[in-house]
Amino acid sequence: MSKIMSRRRAWLAATALTTAIVATPAVLAGTVTGKVIDASGTSALQAAQVTIVELRRVTNTASDGTFRFVDVPAGTYTVRVRYAGAGEETQQITVSESGDVSVQVTLAAASNGDVREEILVVGQRANLLSSLARQRASDTVDSVLTRDAMGQFPDQNVAESLRRAPGLNILNDQGEGRFVSVRGLDPNLNAASINGSRVPAPESDVRSVALDVIPSELIESIEVKKSLTPDMDGDTIGASIEINTTSAFDREKPFVTVKAEGSYNDLRDTATPKGSVDFATRVGERFGIAGGISYYKRKFSTDNVEMDDWEETDDGAAYAETLEYRDYDVNRERIGATLSLDFKASDDTTLFARGLYSRFADQEFRRRLTIQVNEEPSAVSGNTATFLSDDGEIEVERDLKDRFEVQKIASFTAGGKTVSGPWEFKYEGSYSEASEKENGSVDPVVFKSSWEDPGQLGVMFDYSNLQRPTYSILNGGDLFTDASSYEFDELERTTLSDSKDREYGFKIDMKRTFVLDSGEFDLQAGVKPRFRKKRYDANIDVFDGYDGDLTLADVAGQQSYSLADIEPTIGTDAWRSFLDASGYGAFELNQFDTDAASAEADYSAKENILAGYLMGRFDNETIRVIGGVRVERTKTTLTGNVLEMIEEGAVVDGVPLEEDTVFVTPVSFKNEYTDWLPSLNIRANASEDVVLRLGAYKSVVRPNFGQMAPRFLVEENDENEREGEFGNPDLKPYKAWNFDASAEYYFDKNAGITAGIFYKSIKDFIVDAEFEEVTFNGVYADEALIRINGDKAKVKGFEFSYQQAFTMLPAPFDGLLTNINYTYTDAEGDVLDRTISLPAASKHTFNMVLGYEKDRLSLRVAGTYRDEYLDELGGDPEEDRYVKDHFQIDVSAKYEIMDDVQLFAELVNLNNAKYTAYRKGPGADRLLQFEEYKWTAKFGVRATF
């Protein structure tokens, strides 16, 4: 009986508490709505702070500048509006006992003496002010990059733009920013979305998205959310990178922007075109359409040197067994398009549909000279090593890669929002698809010669310059440079390399607002199922013979390489002409290598995630608290192959094999697990100009598909010794507790300083481990490399940023502005009895932008620095791969020659920043890879109508 009474008392207490929370004043008038726009009438202002002063109720404007207060008691009130860089505006409103009130507020730039400027939304200052406003209004710790009302974004692609944000390290490919590391974490620990829809990855094995695929001209804003709330997907530890395209309702005036541009790379010595059209307009009051199209063809070159297989002589002298000179010429074409449709079906319902398409095509030619030695040097003197064919074989390969690859990303989202009194409903469906495809690439065709007789060849390597090792031919130079002495060795044709990643899903969010004496409380819940399919299929043909005579002299060309003499090289035109004329008929197929190469990487995966959440949000003029829990149920189905490559003579089922044989056995695995992800975010206004934030949340990142895929590769020799490499379908996801604390000081209407600390504790970090005499998922190997969940990793550090437009200075210096940020990251993990810095984790990153904007002139100098970082983990500390620090300077200038017509020029990598990867031993720093790109100039005209 006592238990029944206890339950009844608990139920009565809960009912009383609910009644207290839901209780509202007796006399209510309904809703106060409004809109905030800039004084020129050009654009809506997102993230303006709107306050009903007497009620201490506060909200921020949406992307279309609108705001809404429900259940407002009858009476007279003051509505106050604030926005970065603007003067404060107030309006008196009277709310009657029934009916709604609508308010429109226009904001101008803060007064500078007696001058009240209108334009808040165009130019560098507009970018800075918009970022400040949205950062201040945010529920979480985040960084925001925006373009202005005329469609100007400060960089060329999404990854390059993110280089300016605090705590971000951009990983380059071919001299262009591609992947994003946040606070020192692997790019695969980030998540990216377009218009709220997760972006799948074009590459076959990963989750990270190469953000250079997306042109910046098509983007309205990029938000880097470093802490999460329950209504957000929980699949990130680094950050959630949210890319948003334009809505016509974000603009008050229609516009069309046309841009024509040229690009010139100093190393390639050629100019290429770029163009874009961007627009937004409304059709009547209820329908809007916005979109754009972008085209960019870029031709550039990269000069590369690589060394590998570093060894030591018995006397302790270091030398590399492999020296490569690589000459890259790349033709890159990027095409993108967006379209957004918005429809106000009624005063209470807004519907939208948004789509983005991007196509990224790379034609890469790579000519390579490889010198391979198989014995210790004959002599070592200082930083030089001499190798003679008298002591062992010297192999020289000259090869060509002719690769054409196409990546595509398409994202479509449709949904809407309906409000009814204190209720708000959001509903949305999405479909995204990414693909990467090659068919017909040659990667590579190899011509080879070897010398092993006394006196045939002598070569000396000089390591005195870490970045530019050289070679000298001591004897045998005539044969070394004779194209006819290099015979056809091997050709690998990618008949098909097809990766496809698709995801569709939908979500429903419901929110009920309760008005309290001290502010507003929102109770929100939602559900979101996501369904993902990813697959990879390869068909590789390996040819290792030719019916006839084929030497390098038949397809010789000229180098465009500046670091060394690598001729004779294979000519790209000569090779293609030869192949067009003769085809592949005379080449001899190696069936064993073909079967193995075609099956080893194939897999397919299905991943279904069902998520739901419950969230509470309390907000008033002083404090905002958001807390709740999210639950995600994950189910995976993975298929792959057991691939056994067994040498002739090995015994299989009691029978010796008469030839090398490939055995392929399909396998399939299923897995499922549930994650509970609580979170809490607190935002407090310590004073009118100071915002304090505290965030704590748990998140999860699922393993890369390439790590989970059940691809079990085994090589078995004729003595039945088996060596394997296994994917692991039983891998657990990364799990992390994340903590953030920061203070923001907005000491001026055009300025802000932010300082913060962060800490992450990550468990089940995934590492590669070596095992002996192991049976894994029924497959035995004497030695095997297996991906497993490792020990914990910890990431801690602090961030600082400072942004200001110096409008208080006397003319002409009042056009100056700056953006400075610095991040310190200490990221360490325990891996196989070693404590290491996490890969891609730079301890120091620093960015600085100095701009000037006055009248028709706009100038900008941007410098970005990142410290060295661990790139790959080796077998021991001496074999670890590091990337040296990087500092890059970009400059740009714009001049408006007439109203709405602007000339611009930009120099990227003005200081010719280079890429250097190395290892710390033996004996000293030793080169692994060096690349040089030189500078790229961009120039053109932009017109807005």
Side-chain angles (χ1 to χ4, degrees), residues 739-779:
F739 304 92
D740 286 272
S742 66
E744 302 163 11
Y745 178 34
Y746 300 93
F747 59 91
D748 184 86
K749 293 182 182 297
N750 297 284
I753 293 176
T754 300
I757 58 175
F758 56 87
Y759 175 83
K760 297 175 182 290
S761 177
I762 307 169
K763 74 172 185 176
D764 292 327
F765 212 84
I766 296 173
V767 297
D768 293 339
E770 295 181 355
F771 295 86
E772 294 183 357
E773 298 181 356
V774 61
T775 299
F776 185 76
N777 282 311
V779 182

Side-chain angles (χ1 to χ4, degrees), residues 323-559:
L323 172 62
E324 297 183 6
Y325 294 99
R326 302 185 178 198
D327 180 11
Y328 290 91
D329 290 324
V330 181
N331 300 333
R332 179 168 291 172
E333 185 181 69
R334 184 187 290 119
I335 301 172
T338 61
L339 185 65
S340 295
L341 306 176
D342 292 271
F343 176 58
K344 292 185 177 179
S346 68
D347 291 341
D348 298 324
T349 298
T350 302
L351 305 176
F352 69 87
R354 312 201 196 289
L356 180 144
Y357 172 82
S358 181
R359 180 183 184 271
F360 181 92
D362 249 12
Q363 172 61 66
E364 179 183 290
F365 299 105
R366 186 205 66 202
R367 292 167 290 273
R368 177 170 60 177
L369 166 64
T370 302
I371 304 174
Q372 175 81 41
V373 298
N374 295 309
E375 295 293 339
E376 289 188 359
S378 303
V380 176
S381 177
N383 289 312
T384 64
T386 300
F387 302 90
L388 301 175
S389 59
D390 307 51
D391 301 315
E393 185 180 38
I394 301 176
E395 297 180 354
V396 179
E397 293 182 353
R398 300 179 186 270
D399 65 48
L400 172 71
K401 176 197 287 188
D402 180 355
R403 178 185 62 83
F404 181 70
E405 175 186 273
V406 177
Q407 292 186 358
K408 298 178 182 178
I409 291 178
S411 175
F412 177 76
T413 307
K417 180 176 75 172
T418 297
V419 296
S420 177
W423 288 94
E424 179 181 282
F425 302 91
K426 290 183 179 179
Y427 33 90
E428 183 178 301
S430 63
Y431 176 81
S432 296
E433 180 175 303
S435 64
E436 180 182 79
K437 191 171 186 178
E438 293 181 50
N439 49 357
S441 296
V442 173
D443 187 10
V445 55
V446 182
F447 291 83
K448 180 178 177 181
S449 186
S450 61
W451 291 266
E452 55 185 344
D453 294 332
Q456 275 192 315
L457 185 67
V459 59
M460 183 175 69
F461 294 165
D462 187 342
Y463 313 123
S464 55
N465 186 329
L466 174 69
Q467 295 178 316
R468 297 189 179 187
T470 61
Y471 77 94
S472 302
I473 301 302
L474 304 179
N475 57 278
D478 291 343
L479 284 176
F480 182 83
T481 57
D482 182 2
S484 63
S485 68
Y486 295 88
E487 297 182 345
F488 170 77
D489 182 64
E490 184 179 72
L491 187 158
E492 185 172 306
R493 179 183 66 188
T494 305
T495 304
L496 178 67
S497 174
D498 187 13
S499 170
K500 184 165 287 188
D501 195 354
R502 294 174 290 177
E503 178 172 306
Y504 66 93
F506 62 89
K507 66 175 182 177
I508 299 174
D509 299 297
M510 299 175 291
K511 182 174 72 175
R512 171 65 158 93
T513 299
F514 301 99
V515 179
L516 311 177
D517 292 339
S518 56
E520 292 184 356
F521 177 76
D522 296 334
L523 185 62
Q524 184 172 323
V527 63
K528 182 178 183 179
R530 296 161 55 190
F531 307 95
R532 187 171 188 173
K533 293 182 179 180
K534 191 176 180 80
R535 64 168 177 80
Y536 178 69
D537 180 34
N539 293 311
I540 310 296
D541 294 320
V542 181
F543 303 91
D544 61 1
Y546 185 78
D547 186 11
D549 295 326
L550 178 59
T551 70
L552 178 55
D554 297 311
V555 290
Q558 292 183 333
Q559 74 178 64

Side-chain angles (χ1 to χ4, degrees), residues 712-733:
F712 307 147
L713 313 181
V714 178
E715 294 185 45
E716 183 175 335
N717 62 23
D718 56 4
E719 296 180 356
N720 291 106
E721 295 172 333
R722 294 164 63 90
E723 184 176 338
E725 181 177 347
F726 302 150
N728 188 349
D730 298 318
L731 282 173
K732 300 175 185 177

Side-chain angles (χ1 to χ4, degrees), residues 167 182-185 756-762 765 792-799 822-830 835-845 867-869:
V182 179
R183 291 174 169 174
L185 293 173
I757 58 175
F758 56 87
Y759 175 83
K760 297 175 182 290
S761 177
I762 307 169
F765 212 84
K792 290 185 177 181
K794 294 181 180 180
V795 180
K796 56 182 181 293
F798 65 86
E799 296 175 338
Y822 166 80
T823 301
Y824 171 81
T825 303
D826 182 8
E828 291 186 345
D830 295 326
T835 298
I836 64 166
S837 295
L838 298 185
S842 292
K843 277 191 178 294
H844 308 281
T845 56
D867 200 5
E868 76 170 23
Y869 61 86

